[in-house]
């Protein structure tokens, strides 16, 4: 069971817009820690897609955007393309009485119909 | 360019230990923390811990406390992750990943992954 909650799957047709949610709590996202997003193609290492809630690394198209509010964050993808089909993970930091460290969402599989 | 190159796949018996290496290049090694993250077959990402590559200070996820040891060799720009008392549930791909910030993430560069298979 992941500390951050993501939907297991989302889907959309080419050209459409999809969003992936990432729900945390007061000890992580709600505590003000940034949310970062990664995508992962089968058999490859994860790759940074969005950092600091809404910043794109160089080379990531502006079809990808991120937002954060309260104890949740979301990743939006517009103009969906076949190459966007991948697993997506959110990541933040958690600090509680039981310990502190990086936490990930369970991952969301994006299917382009 | 930044590169993290990990050691090759390992097959271990239950109860044994495994040590995975991650050699960094293309940047100042001691200026960035390094994380270890694992991914069991068909599962999501699981954070194991982090090491300050300069001082050797470590912080481990509670789940791995007592079983994992992370070390840093500044002379070769290499970090190591050793996991002991292996069980079948430890079968996974293990990644090293550089922290771009101050240990909170983001993890901006990842190694290619090392498959560790635990089987009798």
């Amino acid at each position: 069971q992941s500390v951050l909650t993501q939907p297991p799957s989302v889907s959309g047709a080419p050209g459409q817009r999809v969003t992936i949610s990432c729900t945390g709590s007061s000890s992580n996202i709600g505590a003000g820690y940034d949310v970062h997003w990664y995508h992962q193609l089968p058999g490859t290492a994860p790759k940074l897609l969005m950092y600091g809630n809404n910043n794109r690394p160089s080379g990531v198209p502006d079809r990808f955007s991120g937002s954060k509010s309260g104890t949740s964050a979301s990743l939006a993808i517009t103009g969906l393309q076949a190459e966007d089909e991948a697993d997506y993970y959110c990541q933040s930091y958690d600090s509680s009485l039981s310990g502190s460290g990086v936490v990930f969402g369970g991952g969301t599989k994006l299917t382009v119909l | 360019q930044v590169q993290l190159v990990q050691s090759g796949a390992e097959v271990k018996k239950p109860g044994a230990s495994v040590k995975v290496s991650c050699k960094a290049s293309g940047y100042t090694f001691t200026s960035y923390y390094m994380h270890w993250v694992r991914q069991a077959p068909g599962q999501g990402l699981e954070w194991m811990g982090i090491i300050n590559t300069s001082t050797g200070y470590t912080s481990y996820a509670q789940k791995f406390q007592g079983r994992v040891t992370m070390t840093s060799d500044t002379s070769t720009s290499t970090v190591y992750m050793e996991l002991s008392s292996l069980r079948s549930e430890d079968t996974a791909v293990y990644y090293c990943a550089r922290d771009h910030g101050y240990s909170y993430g983001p993890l901006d560069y990842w190694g290619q992954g090392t498959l560790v298979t635990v089987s009798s």
Side-chain angles (χ1 to χ4, degrees), chain A residues 33 36 38 40 44-48 50-52 89 91-93 98-106, chain B residues 35 37 39 43-47 59-62 95 99-100 103-108 110-113:
Chain A
Y33 294 109
H36 318 292
Y38 306 85
Q40 183 180 34
T44 68
K47 194 171 181 181
L48 182 63
M50 190 77 56
Y51 67 94
Y89 295 90
Q91 177 251 307
S92 187
Y93 188 85
S98 56
S100 301
V102 161
V103 288
F104 289 98
Chain B
H35 298 262
V37 176
Q39 185 171 36
Q43 302 300 309
L45 303 173
E46 182 176 32
W47 183 74
S59 178
Y60 303 136
Q62 199 165 30
Y95 295 102
D99 193 300
H100 181 77
S103 82
Y104 301 155
L107 284 58
D108 61 352
W110 295 64
Q112 83 276 19

Side-chain angles (χ1 to χ4, degrees), chain B residues 68-79:
Chain B
V68 70
T69 303
M70 297 177 188
T71 54
S72 172
D73 184 345
T74 58
S75 68
T76 60
S77 299
T78 302
V79 293

Side-chain angles (χ1 to χ4, degrees), chain A:
Chain A
Q1 189 150 340
S2 303
V3 173
L4 305 179
T5 301
Q6 297 180 234
S9 63
V10 298
S11 63
Q16 283 190 331
R17 178 181 187 268
V18 297
T19 60
I20 300 173
S21 61
C22 175
T23 303
S25 67
S26 59
S27 63
N28 42 70
I29 298 175
Y33 294 109
D34 284 343
V35 177
H36 318 292
W37 292 89
Y38 306 85
H39 65 161
Q40 183 180 34
L41 296 171
T44 68
K47 194 171 181 181
L48 182 63
L49 182 67
M50 190 77 56
Y51 67 94
N53 307 315
N54 56 10
N55 299 285
R56 291 185 307 276
S58 173
V60 174
D62 59 7
R63 300 187 296 106
F64 294 85
S65 63
S67 64
K68 172 190 160 185
S69 178
T71 58
S72 295
S74 65
L75 176 74
I77 310 171
T78 59
L80 208 55
Q81 299 181 5
E83 66 205 46
D84 299 332
E85 189 161 290
D87 293 325
Y88 290 80
Y89 295 90
C90 60
Q91 177 251 307
S92 187
Y93 188 85
D94 188 271
S95 183
S96 65
L97 290 176
S98 56
S100 301
V102 161
V103 288
F104 289 98
T108 298
K109 182 173 183 59
L110 169 61
T111 301
V112 180
L113 302 170

Side-chain angles (χ1 to χ4, degrees), chain B:
Chain B
Q1 74 283 20
V2 174
Q3 277 195 307
L4 302 176
V5 179
Q6 299 183 219
S7 49
E10 303 262 13
V11 179
K12 296 291 182 181
K13 293 196 182 304
S17 297
V18 68
K19 191 169 186 177
V20 180
S21 68
C22 169
K23 183 171 176 60
S25 62
Y27 70 97
T28 302
F29 177 70
T30 52
S31 294
Y32 296 83
Y33 291 80
M34 197 76 79
H35 298 262
W36 285 91
V37 176
R38 76 177 187 180
Q39 185 171 36
Q43 302 300 309
L45 303 173
E46 182 176 32
W47 183 74
M48 299 182 69
I50 186 173
I51 182 167
N52 180 321
T53 55
S54 178
T55 67
Y57 171 80
T58 55
S59 178
Y60 303 136
Q62 199 165 30
K63 175 177 179 176
F64 300 102
Q65 294 268 6
R67 274 211 309 147
V68 70
T69 303
M70 297 177 188
T71 54
S72 172
D73 184 345
T74 58
S75 68
T76 60
S77 299
T78 302
V79 293
Y80 300 88
M81 186 284 300
E82 184 170 23
L83 188 62
S84 62
S85 302
L86 290 169
R87 33 209 189 230
S88 58
E89 310 89 87
D90 294 317
T91 293
V93 176
Y94 290 76
Y95 295 102
C96 60
R98 191 184 81 163
D99 193 300
H100 181 77
Y102 300 97
S103 82
Y104 301 155
L107 284 58
D108 61 352
Y109 287 93
W110 295 64
Q112 83 276 19
T114 297
L115 175 61
V116 175
T117 303
V118 183
S119 173
S120 54

